[in-house]
Amino acid sequence: MQAVYQLIFNTKAYSNPRNRVQALFLYCVILIFAIFMPILVLVSTFSTIQPLELLPLLFIALPILSTIYFLIRIGYIKIASWILLIMLSGTILFNNIQIGALESRSLVNASLMILLAGFLLDDLAVVIFCISAISPALFFPVITAEATVQSQFMGRAILTISYVITGIVIYSFRQSLIASRQEGEDIAGRERMKLADVNMQITQQAATRISLDEALNNTLALILNNYPQLYHAQVFLIDADGVQAELKASTGEPGRILLERNHSLSVGSLSVIGQTTLAGEPVVAIANDPKSVHKVNPLLQETTLEAAFPLQVEDRIIGALDLQSKTLTALSDDDRISFQSLANSLSLAIDNIRQFAAAQERINENERLTERTRIMLSEVERLNRRLIGRAWAEYTAEHEDSLGYEVDLKRGDIQPYSNWSTSLQSAIADGKITRTGNVISVPLRIRGEIVGAMEFELDGDLSDEQAILIEEVTERFGLAAENTRLVEESQRTAHRETLINQITSRFQAAQNVESTLTEAARSLSETLSAEKVMIRLGMPDKATQNGHPNGEDS
């Protein structure tokens, strides 16, 4: 049945609800004409009117009605309305011409045309069909009981005035509807602007880098200021376990008390918040309704309506926005859409603030790790410097007589130099290039540790470029000296490893413990140039530890 209805009364071509209503009305009018016109022809066979007189009218009307029906289906409703009204007006005029006078029903028929013009078309159509109704009244006589001149004049005057009044009433009614519709659009526009402004202020909070608590409190204040039908608002956020919806922000003195109590509700509990956070759908509950899930709060006894809207980020429910009123007993669809839009904006702001806080925490953690790494590197550098300093101190102690030289390029003479001049001591103490007369002293550094110094005798002043050159050369010299020391140390280590391996191989060739001890003593004597080696296995007893040996040493 529904499919047949949709097939006959098809209104898919119209997106405007008013146009859909007009299309359905025209469909009904066409259906009435299509059904009753053939019946009228059939009934006329038993009346004084000959059916042959109505057949031409039927054959003309049916194609016109078919055309109107087709135009309605494809979306040309105005053209279809004009054709229908012109056809009806032509029918009325044809009837008046046949009779040669205006019947009493002409007032009704013409008034109906004016009314249809106001409903289906516009103000211009009302004026046109009002004039088309007045014109016959000026030229055709009116059928009255006494066809006197005075009665004819009065009849025409009454019809004309009636048509004018009908036109004015319909025109005024149309203007009233337009004004009401405009006023409704203005109110809706203001509501949309208010909603957009509040949403913008909510989402912009994330850009101001305020705390989450401050953002939630600001949002609730905005909602109460812009929607006076509400008197209390609060925000619940689901905990990390997804079990409890914890109160994070609430308005007024009741809100302060609830926050101090750490108020929370279980997700899925028999409450507005519990159901909203479970299903992710808005829940509206009426107070004192036995079928409602509203839980009476002693601090909010004035509540007549409570509505909760889910706070959702992608597919994850993070909480609920709870709104309460003491004047409303129902929530309109527009209010539902508006409040859910506010909840969506708040969800976005909460997610952005949380992401920023998490990013800031990561930055702080990275800074702490960077600082810790810097300290560790500094400590490693300090230890390296100490090791380098100690290594060079040992190295210079072993080679004290061969680590200082004096080079005279004029004579081509290189002599050992073991003294510390004042300028060398000053360069090492100050850690920078010093000049005493024409003598330039430069500290020698290896990885920041001063291990010596060199000095030059110059004939002229030291330029900046020469100072840079000296620093680079001394730095390269320090690296070369360190590499040479490391090579020597590596060679010594390799030699020591060779000796250890040789001694170890002798141990492995021994057949018993005595042979092992003998080989150990012989190898150490050869390596260390020792004249006597003593080895003893076991642990001394208490008497031996007290200076009273019980046995002989071997």
Side-chain angles (χ1 to χ4, degrees):
M1 189 66 183
Q2 183 69 21
V4 175
Y5 176 83
Q6 291 293 337
L7 179 63
I8 298 175
F9 301 99
N10 192 324
T11 58
K12 293 182 179 180
Y14 306 98
S15 58
N16 190 318
R18 182 170 179 269
N19 289 340
R20 286 198 293 270
V21 172
Q22 291 173 338
L24 290 174
F25 173 79
L26 288 176
Y27 281 138
C28 292
V29 171
I30 293 171
L31 185 62
I32 291 171
F33 274 109
I35 293 174
F36 285 97
M37 286 192 68
I39 295 176
L40 180 63
V41 172
L42 181 62
V43 172
S44 65
T45 57
F46 302 100
S47 65
T48 57
I49 303 175
Q50 296 299 321
L52 294 176
E53 296 178 3
L54 294 176
L55 285 176
L57 182 61
L58 180 62
F59 288 125
I60 294 173
L62 288 178
I64 295 176
L65 292 175
S66 300
T67 302
I68 294 172
Y69 181 81
F70 175 75
L71 291 174
I72 296 170
R73 289 185 67 90
I74 63 176
Y76 291 94
I77 192 167
K78 282 195 174 182
I79 298 176
S81 300
W82 276 104
I83 295 175
L84 177 64
L85 290 175
I86 291 173
M87 184 189 75
L88 294 177
S89 298
T91 303
I92 295 172
L93 181 61
F94 177 75
N95 182 63
N96 291 332
I97 292 173
Q98 271 195 330
I99 298 174
L102 296 177
E103 296 181 288
S104 58
R105 61 183 178 181
S106 296
L107 174 61
V108 177
N109 293 336
S111 299
L112 180 61
M113 292 302 101
I114 299 172
L115 181 61
L116 290 177
F119 174 66
L120 296 173
L121 297 170
D122 50 19
D123 296 337
L124 177 62
V126 173
V127 174
I128 291 175
F129 285 100
C130 187
I131 294 173
S132 67
I134 293 174
S135 299
L138 298 176
F139 301 102
F140 284 91
V142 180
I143 297 176
T144 60
E146 297 180 359
T148 62
V149 175
Q150 183 178 4
S151 63
Q152 289 294 323
F153 176 79
M154 289 299 296
R156 288 190 176 92
I158 291 172
L159 285 177
T160 302
I161 294 172
S162 299
Y163 295 151
V164 171
I165 293 175
T166 302
I168 292 174
V169 170
I170 295 173
Y171 177 82
S172 301
F173 180 71
R174 278 183 52 81
Q175 293 302 313
S176 175
L177 289 177
I178 293 172
S180 298
R181 187 165 57 248
Q182 184 64 43
E183 182 180 359
E185 291 176 355
D186 292 342
I187 294 174
R190 288 195 296 269
E191 287 296 320
R192 286 193 297 270
M193 289 296 295
K194 180 177 71 174
L195 178 62
D197 182 63
V198 175
N199 281 328
M200 181 184 66
Q201 293 184 59
I202 292 174
T203 53
Q204 280 183 343
Q205 294 181 104
T208 59
R209 305 310 181 202
I210 62 177
S211 66
L212 180 59
D213 290 341
E214 188 176 356
L216 295 179
N217 290 327
N218 290 344
T219 298
L220 296 182
L222 276 172
I223 292 174
L224 293 186
N225 289 337
N226 286 276
Y227 296 91
Q229 66 268 39
L230 304 174
Y231 86 106
H232 184 75
Q234 47 195 9
V235 175
F236 289 81
L237 296 180
I238 299 177
D239 61 8
D241 298 329
V243 176
Q244 292 291 120
E246 301 174 344
L247 182 65
K248 294 298 182 181
S250 189
T251 57
E253 183 64 16
R256 184 188 64 79
I257 297 174
L258 291 173
L259 288 170
E260 289 179 352
R261 295 177 181 175
N262 295 323
H263 181 59
S264 65
L265 294 167
S266 299
V267 175
S269 61
L270 191 61
S271 64
V272 174
I273 299 300
Q275 295 301 307
T276 300
T277 52
L278 175 66
E281 296 290 338
V283 175
V284 180
I286 308 300
N288 301 322
D289 185 350
K291 297 181 181 180
S292 145
V293 293
H294 172 72
K295 292 183 68 175
V296 179
N297 191 319
L299 299 174
L300 301 167
Q301 295 184 358
E302 295 181 297
T303 298
T304 59
L305 179 143
E306 181 181 7
F309 299 87
L311 301 176
Q312 192 166 347
V313 177
E314 295 179 349
D315 296 332
R316 182 168 53 91
I317 301 171
I318 63 172
L321 171 64
D322 184 61
L323 305 175
Q324 300 189 31
S325 173
K326 56 184 177 181
T327 58
L328 297 177
T329 56
L331 203 63
S332 66
D333 291 339
D334 290 341
D335 286 340
R336 288 173 182 261
I337 294 173
S338 297
F339 294 145
Q340 185 60 62
S341 176
L342 296 178
N344 294 340
S345 297
L346 180 57
S347 302
L348 179 62
I350 291 173
D351 186 54
N352 288 339
I353 291 172
R354 282 179 169 176
Q355 289 187 11
F356 175 78
Q360 190 64 42
E361 181 61 27
R362 288 194 296 270
I363 291 172
N364 294 337
E365 182 64 21
N366 290 337
E367 289 178 353
R368 287 193 294 269
L369 292 175
T370 301
E371 180 63 19
R372 188 179 303 171
T373 303
R374 187 190 65 78
I375 294 173
M376 293 175 64
L377 290 175
S378 178
E379 182 65 18
V380 170
E381 183 67 21
R382 186 183 66 82
L383 293 174
N384 284 336
R385 290 178 61 180
R386 287 183 60 184
L387 292 174
I388 290 172
R390 183 181 300 172
W392 274 96
E394 295 174 355
Y395 186 81
T396 54
E398 294 175 1
H399 305 79
E400 185 176 0
D401 297 333
S402 61
L403 293 180
Y405 294 94
E406 181 180 5
V407 181
D408 190 339
L409 297 178
K410 290 183 178 181
R411 294 182 300 178
D413 188 18
I414 301 176
Q415 298 291 335
Y417 184 78
S418 58
N419 297 326
W420 288 96
S421 65
T422 304
S423 61
L424 288 176
Q425 295 179 18
S426 177
I428 292 176
D430 297 339
K432 62 182 180 180
I433 298 176
T434 61
R435 180 166 185 168
T436 305
N438 62 341
V439 177
I440 304 298
S441 299
V442 183
L444 297 176
R445 285 187 175 86
I446 298 176
R447 297 180 182 176
E449 186 70 16
I450 297 177
V451 298
M454 67 169 58
E455 65 181 21
F456 309 90
E457 289 186 8
L458 299 179
D459 294 335
D461 295 333
L462 181 67
S463 65
D464 294 338
E465 185 176 354
Q466 289 174 331
I468 295 173
L469 177 63
I470 290 172
E471 289 182 354
E472 292 181 355
V473 170
T474 54
E475 183 178 352
R476 301 284 179 88
F477 173 80
L479 292 175
E482 175 68 4
N483 290 335
T484 302
R485 184 188 68 78
L486 292 174
V487 170
E488 292 181 4
E489 185 177 347
S490 299
Q491 291 174 348
R492 288 196 302 272
T493 302
H495 179 66
R496 184 169 61 251
E497 288 292 331
T498 301
L499 290 175
I500 292 172
N501 290 334
Q502 291 176 357
I503 295 172
T504 303
S505 64
R506 292 178 185 178
F507 296 163
Q508 293 174 351
Q511 299 297 322
N512 50 47
V513 175
E514 183 179 355
S515 300
T516 303
L517 294 176
T518 303
E519 288 298 331
R522 182 180 296 112
S523 298
L524 292 174
S525 176
E526 292 174 359
T527 303
L528 302 176
S529 300
E531 294 181 359
K532 184 179 180 180
V533 179
M534 182 179 293
I535 301 175
R536 176 69 181 267
L537 297 179
M539 298 294 291
D541 54 19
K542 293 183 179 180
T544 303
Q545 292 177 358
N546 292 330
H548 302 284
N550 294 327
E552 294 181 357
D553 295 334
S554 60

